[in-house]
Amino acid sequence: MSTKIRLKRIGGRKKPFYRVVIVDSRAPRGGRSIEEIGTYDPGQEPSAFTVDAEKAKDWLAKGAEPTDRVRILLTHAGII
């Protein structure tokens, strides 16, 4: 099973809020996730990004591929 680290939108209309989740690569954006490892709120100034670094590193070691946006966020957080 190929896994991805990506964002799952849970915010309302015009108020985006995301969870950083581990999912099967074939699952839809809002579909069932394997594990939640953090949150991302682009509506705050500056944007709020929190993630469990240990879980993120563990999933990256297991071969989970982050999406482009998550890769940027993890890089800014100093995890990658």
Side-chain angles (χ1 to χ4, degrees), residues 1-37:
M1 173 172 78
S2 176
T3 56
K4 290 221 177 251
I5 303 175
R6 67 182 180 199
L7 299 174
K8 179 179 182 178
R9 184 178 170 132
I10 59 169
R13 195 170 127 218
K14 296 195 177 188
K15 294 184 180 173
F17 187 82
Y18 301 91
R19 287 187 181 146
V20 181
V21 294
I22 311 298
V23 295
D24 180 9
S25 62
R26 298 167 292 182
R29 180 191 72 184
R32 188 172 66 92
S33 58
I34 298 170
E35 185 175 9
E36 179 186 331
I37 62 170

